[in-house]
Amino acid sequence: MNNNNNNLEIFKFISPFSNDRLSSFDNNDLKQFLLLLEKYYLEMRNVLGIDKNITFGMELEFIYASFEPINRNLKLINDSWYVKEEIIYDDGGEIATPPLNDSSKNWYDFATACDIAKCYSNYANKCGGHIHIGSQIFEDNSNYWLNFILFWATYEHIAFRFGYGELLTGRHQLLEYAFPVKDILNNAYILHSNKNSFLKDIIKSINYGRNQAINFQNVKTPIINNDKNFEENNTIEFRFFNGTYDSIIWQNNVLFAVKMLEYAKSSRFDLELVCSRNDGLFWKKFDLASYNKIYLRQALELADLIYTNNLDKIYFLRQYFKSFEIGSEYGMLAKPFTRKKINN
């Protein structure tokens, strides 16, 4: 099977540069789209189109690491990158990047670091794949924060399955180190949405320690809103992602986190729709097993809200749906949905 030809088929159906409302497709168009989507394989992208003022960092964790050859090879690509011990795993290691922005050089370096780690360690997908986004993205605007709090509380179950990456389920220690925060954030939104709360009080009400799906402990107020002088380590940390050596999935995860945050501060934010969806889910109890399931219409809705072109939506939905399998045990692999480009 020629995956490259399959990748072209979906773009005969929808243009990658358009912004179709996928959630409004009729049943026939949706069926055709999903059939083509399953044939599509994600590839590494040179850049993602993220604003250069938005900074992010990644923490690639793995087990049974050989530290010396990892460090030796990392120095060949970037002097500031190194592996450090991750004590919660047996012979655990972690490559933590410095603050990065969206450039082809940074993505090439990180993809190379993933390949190095894969050669000299094991089982990244049994670990976490943490992503930090610079808090300056929200400035000191409480409304942006409240929009994001509401959005995450509404769509957390969609985000988790997407964040499982190459697996169909969360990693074994997910609840211990990245527990869901839907209820915490719902309660905080109810508390603060109808009054002029100080930002520090909003952050305090959603901060229940670092081992949440999203860690807010690093957020410091007031937030410096100067792209040339941002405050290092002042970040929103997304901890729910499974780890992986696959740089394509890492890239997709970063884009997802950034697009959610950008949407929360956008004039496009549809408060009425998100509130309506939230009201419909508010009394529904989601346990981790239910996060493994597929919520077709809600996933399409989320993609339409946060992404502004079809290509980004395809990347999100391919990783979310995987091959429409549902896992029931830790560590269950999905069928592959990424591939390295073949250079001719």
Side-chain angles (χ1 to χ4, degrees), residues 274-316:
V274 178
C275 281
S276 176
R277 174 64 68 190
N278 185 275
D279 288 344
L281 299 173
F282 186 77
W283 300 109
K284 183 176 177 62
K285 283 295 182 183
F286 284 101
D287 57 20
L288 205 55
S290 68
Y291 281 24
N292 299 340
K293 297 177 182 177
I294 294 171
Y295 301 87
L296 174 62
R297 290 293 176 181
Q298 293 172 40
L300 294 170
E301 180 178 274
L302 184 154
D304 283 338
L305 290 174
I306 72 172
Y307 297 107
T308 55
N309 66 71
N310 289 337
L311 182 63
D312 288 347
K313 294 179 185 183
I314 287 168
Y315 267 66
F316 167 76

Side-chain angles (χ1 to χ4, degrees), residues 80-135:
S80 65
W81 294 27
Y82 62 93
V83 63
K84 62 182 180 180
E85 186 178 11
E86 179 50 78
I87 61 174
I88 67 173
Y89 304 114
D90 293 331
D91 296 320
E94 173 186 283
I95 298 172
T97 73
L100 305 174
N101 60 18
D102 182 29
S103 74
S104 57
K105 173 67 164 60
N106 284 336
W107 286 121
Y108 176 82
D109 286 352
F110 184 72
T112 305
C114 289
D115 291 341
I116 292 168
K118 186 175 182 179
C119 285
Y120 299 105
S121 67
N122 290 291
Y123 305 120
N125 59 23
K126 292 185 178 181
C127 308
H130 303 162
I131 293 172
H132 292 256
I133 309 293
S135 298

Side-chain angles (χ1 to χ4, degrees), residues 129-131 133 148 213-214 236-241 257 260-261:
H130 303 162
I131 293 172
I133 309 293
F148 174 66
I214 308 174
I236 304 164
E237 181 189 14
F238 294 85
R239 297 176 57 85
F240 70 99
F241 295 113
M260 273 195 301
L261 297 171

